[in-house]
Amino acid sequence: MSDDPEPAENISGGSAGGGAAATFDPGDADTRAEVVVDRLGELYWQKTYGGQDAFECLVRTILSQNTSDVASQPAHDALMERYGPENLADALAHADRAELADTIRPAGLYNQKAEVIVAAAERVLAEYGSADAFDEFVRERDPADVRTELLDMNGVGPKTADCVLLFSGGRGGVFPVDTHVHRIYRRLGVAPPDADHEDVRAVLERDVPAEKCGFGHTASIQFGREYCSARRPACLDGPEACPLYGICDRVGVDPESGGVVDPADAE
């Protein structure tokens, strides 16, 4: 494992997205969730996060909704080239919707996301006065209060709010749950098979030490891309094909028949 092998095409922004490489002694994990996160940290990276500009992080995460980071990264880069980085919130609050939508087209749902981004910029300026003041709010206020305020923004859901808390605020104990995380931890048997996203988040934030939640989130996403895909997880090719095979319940996966269903639909 290198000091920072995390790809740039990642919700964290990779090595340019803030945070720092770190080392955590696995020790004797107290929960299965911690065992999984320790294995993923050894497989990929161990990092602490924080330091991203809060408003830019919010925009990046909105762009990532319902698409891959590989698709949203070009949209983010194009948006920053046209509207930022200086005075980004002001530029986006006054942006022409059609022009902004065309700029972020690679991210998909570009008309909808343009509306959400403009509304978020307007709200940040109206309620906090500036992007710097919003950044200070995210970093210094009680995380529960910050999360509540973020969730009150149109188009901002739990994953988006948690990513801002993690990658900008650097808050420990925050484990954002996206599609990969939701699938993986139910398939592993760490969370109940019928758990929704918030239920999975509650399990992980309870059972994973606060300092490991950040890289637990990003490394889980990488594991989902490389091994534990929705339609054809690596375990179908046998025990040697997946580094977590020995600690996984494979809920919804039948290696003998090759059948794969959502864990909630498993018998």
Side-chain angles (χ1 to χ4, degrees), residues 134-166:
F134 176 64
D135 188 74
E136 181 178 351
F137 168 76
V138 169
R139 294 173 193 271
E140 297 185 5
R141 286 287 294 274
D142 182 90
D145 293 339
V146 175
R147 193 173 195 264
T148 297
E149 288 294 316
L150 290 170
L151 289 174
D152 193 50
M153 292 184 177
N154 181 46
V156 174
K159 188 207 82 169
T160 299
D162 290 335
C163 283
V164 174
L165 279 169
L166 175 62

Side-chain angles (χ1 to χ4, degrees), residues 6 20 22-42 44-49 166-167 170-176 181 185 201 203-221:
E6 193 171 3
T23 301
F24 299 99
D25 184 359
D28 295 321
D30 293 325
T31 65
R32 286 190 65 212
E34 187 179 1
V35 170
V36 171
V37 168
D38 285 345
R39 294 274 187 95
L40 293 177
E42 294 171 349
Y44 294 116
W45 50 75
Q46 298 176 37
K47 294 185 69 173
T48 58
Y49 291 102
L166 175 62
F167 298 122
R171 304 306 182 100
V174 177
F175 203 125
V181 174
Y185 287 92
R201 181 179 71 87
V203 169
L204 295 174
E205 292 183 358
R206 181 194 68 203
D207 290 351
V208 177
E211 67 273 14
K212 297 180 180 181
C213 284
F215 77 82
H217 164 68
T218 54
S220 293
I221 292 173

Side-chain angles (χ1 to χ4, degrees), residues 2-244:
S2 67
D3 289 339
D4 188 0
E6 193 171 3
E9 295 80 10
N10 190 310
I11 189 60
S12 73
S15 60
T23 301
F24 299 99
D25 184 359
D28 295 321
D30 293 325
T31 65
R32 286 190 65 212
E34 187 179 1
V35 170
V36 171
V37 168
D38 285 345
R39 294 274 187 95
L40 293 177
E42 294 171 349
L43 182 64
Y44 294 116
W45 50 75
Q46 298 176 37
K47 294 185 69 173
T48 58
Y49 291 102
Q52 286 188 24
D53 174 79
F55 181 69
E56 182 182 346
C57 181
L58 176 61
V59 170
R60 177 192 287 273
T61 312
I62 290 168
L63 290 173
S64 76
Q65 293 172 353
N66 300 299
T67 192
S68 69
D69 292 331
V70 173
S72 65
Q73 186 66 42
H76 170 265
D77 293 344
L79 180 148
M80 295 302 296
E81 182 177 355
R82 173 166 283 183
Y83 299 101
E86 298 297 326
N87 302 312
L88 179 63
D90 186 69
L92 289 173
H94 297 91
D96 177 81
R97 299 315 200 262
E99 181 181 78
L100 175 57
D102 187 61
T103 302
I104 63 173
R105 185 178 292 268
L109 299 175
Y110 43 88
N111 289 315
Q112 176 182 324
K113 291 178 181 179
E115 292 289 339
V116 170
I117 288 170
V118 170
E122 292 174 341
R123 178 158 177 172
V124 163
L125 295 178
E127 294 197 7
Y128 304 96
S130 69
D132 287 343
F134 176 64
D135 188 74
E136 181 178 351
F137 168 76
V138 169
R139 294 173 193 271
E140 297 185 5
R141 286 287 294 274
D142 182 90
D145 293 339
V146 175
R147 193 173 195 264
T148 297
E149 288 294 316
L150 290 170
L151 289 174
D152 193 50
M153 292 184 177
N154 181 46
V156 174
K159 188 207 82 169
T160 299
D162 290 335
C163 283
V164 174
L165 279 169
L166 175 62
F167 298 122
S168 176
R171 304 306 182 100
V174 177
F175 203 125
V177 175
D178 72 339
T179 300
H180 291 292
V181 174
H182 184 237
R183 174 180 70 253
I184 289 165
Y185 287 92
R186 291 180 303 130
R187 186 177 279 171
L188 281 161
V190 169
D194 59 348
D196 63 18
H197 283 64
E198 286 291 84
D199 292 335
V200 172
R201 181 179 71 87
V203 169
L204 295 174
E205 292 183 358
R206 181 194 68 203
D207 290 351
V208 177
E211 67 273 14
K212 297 180 180 181
C213 284
F215 77 82
H217 164 68
T218 54
S220 293
I221 292 173
Q222 193 69 16
F223 176 71
R225 291 170 175 163
E226 294 187 6
Y227 294 99
C228 199
S229 64
R231 296 182 180 179
R232 184 168 175 77
C235 57
L236 293 179
D237 296 323
E240 297 80 15
C242 178
L244 297 188

